[in-house]
Amino acid sequence: MTSTSRVNGGRGPSLSVVVVVYDMARELPRTLKSLSPAHQHDIHADDYEVVVVDNGSPEPLDDAMLATFPGRLRAFRMEPAAPSPVLAANHGLAQATGDLVGMMIDGARLASPGLLATARLAARLSARPVITTPAWHLGPVTHMRAAEVGYDQTVEDELLAGSGWESDGYQLFSVSTLSGSSGRGIFGPMGESNGLFMPRGLWDELGGYDERFSLPGGGLANHDLYRRACAAESAELIVLLGEGTFHQIHGGAATSRRFSWDDQHAEYERITGRAHQPPQNPARYLGTIPGPLLPHVAHSTQLAIERRARAGGAPTAV
């Protein structure tokens, strides 16, 4: 295993963000740009670090590209690497030095501008916070359906070039759709978290990712981790309203349908002994609503109203 480090400043960061990548030479530069101090609001470069773990990509990460990151960044390469990213994710967690640790197990994601600062604020609201944000796919449909509408990397490059996201990251909401795991709306239960933040101690208590998930792409390892986090004693779910992570299309194992939901769920059942169900924890919402998000808020509110009506008007986690 080899590593590359780039660290600025003297004191240790209060926040670590782990980013796991595989064969993402196109996507990672955008991911890092979205996580850079120039893009993230209300947080100083010395306040956080980014820990990139390359899960044995055919071509190693570009050191020159990594060196352009204007903040704290450390990079590691898993070699040899397993097809599943869970070992790489756990290695990143072990390397993280912040008191609050965030995870992007799929590193092809753009972060909204307030993601890191709002996550730090949310961590102050509870002794045992499980902090998440809705997940989005760039483009008009989820990436599992991209081929149906002719959406590919070329179309996405043009979409991003015309979106203005580099000057206003919240414009990403106007060119994205909620992912399958967040398809119940931003006020509904999520199947997994692709922007999960927890205190270091809670990550350690959970033992990170279950390394028995061996399918390429991890199968439902991320779903399992999120479910266990939400089920932890005295855990409080905090959803970052107005923030998100935005998936770039890259031929991932799940979004390209190389492995079906049934394949992934069968592995999940073998490992956990149960069928997967989204956690139903009542959520506390924190954040602001940028203009481009408003149509999604309206749609999500309607979904929540319909869900409550089906439950007979009883108080439920919307």
Side-chain angles (χ1 to χ4, degrees), residues 176-197:
S176 300
T177 189
L178 282 163
S179 71
S181 63
S182 294
R184 301 168 189 85
I186 60 178
F187 304 119
M190 301 175 194
E192 62 173 325
S193 172
N194 286 284
L196 180 64
F197 297 80

Side-chain angles (χ1 to χ4, degrees), residues 6 14 58-59 70 73 75 119 126 146 152 156 158 163 182 184 218 226 245 248 254 259-260 283 290:
R6 177 178 174 82
S14 63
E59 294 293 330
L73 184 144
S126 171
D152 58 17
E156 185 169 273
E158 294 172 355
S163 69
S182 294
R184 301 168 189 85
Y226 181 59
T245 61
Q248 303 170 74
F259 294 92
S260 69

Side-chain angles (χ1 to χ4, degrees), residues 249-264:
I249 194 165
H250 64 97
T255 52
S256 65
R257 292 186 169 177
R258 282 190 284 130
F259 294 92
S260 69
W261 172 264
D262 289 343
D263 295 330
Q264 296 173 86

Side-chain angles (χ1 to χ4, degrees), residues 28 32 58 63 65 100 113 127 143 167 175 212 226 235 247 256 306:
L28 181 59
L32 293 180
D63 287 343
M65 181 274 294
L100 181 67
H143 290 169
S167 57
V175 294
R212 292 176 292 175
Y226 181 59
H247 186 259
S256 65
E306 294 170 0

Side-chain angles (χ1 to χ4, degrees), residues 131-173:
I131 303 162
T132 186
T133 186
W136 305 78
H137 286 186
L138 292 167
V141 297
T142 63
H143 290 169
M144 286 76 76
R145 296 182 52 214
E148 300 173 18
V149 299
Y151 186 83
D152 58 17
Q153 290 182 332
T154 299
V155 174
E156 185 169 273
D157 290 343
E158 294 172 355
L159 181 75
L160 285 170
S163 69
W165 79 272
E166 293 186 64
S167 57
D168 178 6
Y170 291 113
Q171 292 300 325
L172 291 170
F173 287 118

